[in-house]
Amino acid sequence: MQEADIQFLENSFKKYYFDHFDLIKVPERTFEREFGYQKFNSGMTRHIAIKNDKELHLLLIQNTPSDVYCSNAYYTFPNLPMNEKDWKEADLIFDIDAKDLNLSCRESHTVSICNECNQVSKNLTQCTKCNSTKLEKKSLPCKNCIDGSKKEVLKLIQVLVDDLAVTEDNIQVYFSGNEGFHVYVYNSQFQEIGSRERSELTDYISLRGAIPETFGMKKFKPKRESFPDLDEKGWRGRFAKQVFGSKSKRSKIITELLADGYPSFQKTLDDVSENIGVKIDPNVTMDIHRIFRLPGSINSKSGLTKIYCEDLTKFDPYTEASFLNDDPVDVLANCPIEFKLKNKKFGPYINEKVTVPTFAAAYMICKKLGTLA
C-alpha cells in the first residue's frame, strides 16, 4: 500500500476512534484479557494488558492501528509470553463468513488483483495483462452474502439454545466488519473446556462426521422404528424434517432408504449434513489463545466497523457499520464491481479518477481497488 494511502487511512481511522469511542466494547474482566493491534504495512503487536477504557482509548489514539484485537481467553498474566500467561478459561466464539458458504453469487462480485503487475480483472485464474497466475482475490460481498451468513447465524443460535443449553441472554452477534458475523457465547458451561473439546463441539454443530447409525440405518438388519420422527429434538429431528418433509411421507421414504442400503444412506447423510449443518470456521472456535477483532473497532479489509447486531434480521452492514465521514476525496479507482454504502451506489470504475466520500474511498483502498489520486 502506498504511503499516501496509509496516511489517509490512518487519519480517517484516528478521527473515527476519537469521535466514536462510545462504540468500542471494552470487554468484561478487561484486566484478565490480552490485547493486540496491527499498524498498516506492519506486523502484530500483542501480549498487551489493559485495565480500563481510558488505557484502551490512549492505545487507539497514540498508535492509530489498522486493526485492534482482544482475547476471548482470561489469563492471570495477560501481558506475559503465551506459556507464562496462566490460562483460566475462554468465551466461545464462532466465525461465520460468506466466503465459506459456496454461494452462487460469489463469482459475480469477486475480482483478481495480480501480484506481479497489479492488474485488476474479473478473471479469477490468470492475469489478463501479464498472464501470471499469482492472483489475490478480493470480494465485495452483496446482500445475498449477508443474508446467507445471517441464515447460518440463526441456525447456530438454534443449536446452541436447543441442544447445548446456552441461554439466549449469553449470546451476542457482531458483524465482523467485512464478510460475515462473529457469535460470542459468554458464561456457559463450555468456558473451561480446551481445544480438543471445542473441536468436538464444532463437529457437532456443523454435523461433521455424522454416522448412519445415529439416524436409524444399520449395516445389518436395520429396523424401521430406529429412524427419527419429525418432532424429535436435536439433529435427529432436523434430519427427519429435511429428508421426510412431512409425517405422511415418512413411511414411504424409510422404505426407499432401506431398499437403497447403507452406502446410499451415507451419501444422503453427507448431503443433508452439507445442507443443515451450521457452516462455521472450526479453527476459530478451537483456538483458545486467539485474539479476536475488538467490537467497535474498524476492519482494515473494508473500512467498516465490527459492530453489535441488535436486530439481526433487519441489520444492514452497509448502512449501520459505515462510520467514516462524508468528506470528498479524489481517488484513482479500478473497481469493476458496483458497491453500495450508506444508501449510495458507487462504481463500476475502470481506471478512472473519481471524487467520492471518505467512507467509499477507504472501502476501495482497503480492498486494493483504488488509490489516492
Side-chain angles (χ1 to χ4, degrees), residues 121-158:
S121 70
K122 287 190 175 183
N123 189 316
L124 302 181
T125 57
Q126 190 174 42
C127 177
T128 54
K129 186 176 180 181
C130 71
N131 296 324
S132 172
T133 55
K134 295 178 181 177
L135 306 175
E136 181 180 0
K137 292 179 176 58
K138 290 288 180 182
S139 177
L140 280 64
C142 66
K143 184 178 182 298
N144 188 52
C145 293
I146 299 302
D147 289 345
S149 299
K150 285 181 181 180
K151 183 180 174 185
E152 296 303 312
V153 171
L154 295 173
K155 283 161 60 177
L156 170 62
I157 291 173
Q158 183 187 42

Side-chain angles (χ1 to χ4, degrees), residues 47 75 83 125 141 167 174 190 266 268 352:
H47 309 300
Y75 302 102
N83 60 350
T125 57
T167 60
Y174 293 87
F190 305 109
Q266 179 67 68
T268 298
E352 55 189 289

Side-chain angles (χ1 to χ4, degrees), residues 22 53 57 69 92-93 107 109-110 127 144 152 161 177 201 216 238 259 263 265 274 303 322 334 340 359-360 364 369:
D22 58 308
D53 283 11
H57 201 176
Y69 304 95
L92 267 181
I93 300 184
E107 190 172 324
H109 54 69
T110 299
C127 177
N144 188 52
E152 296 303 312
V161 173
L201 196 62
R238 295 184 194 103
F265 189 93
E274 178 64 25
S322 182
N334 194 7
K340 190 176 180 182
F359 62 84
M364 286 190 283
L369 299 174

Side-chain angles (χ1 to χ4, degrees), residues 53 63 101 116 158 177 185 190 192 207 258 261 274 352 358 369:
D53 283 11
N63 295 284
L101 304 185
E116 301 288 343
Q158 183 187 42
V185 177
F190 305 109
E192 296 181 16
L207 197 54
L258 289 170
E274 178 64 25
E352 55 189 289
T358 293
L369 299 174

Side-chain angles (χ1 to χ4, degrees), residues 219-230:
K219 286 183 177 178
F220 305 105
K221 297 181 180 178
K223 297 178 181 178
R224 299 181 68 88
E225 58 268 26
S226 299
F227 286 84
D229 291 315
L230 277 75

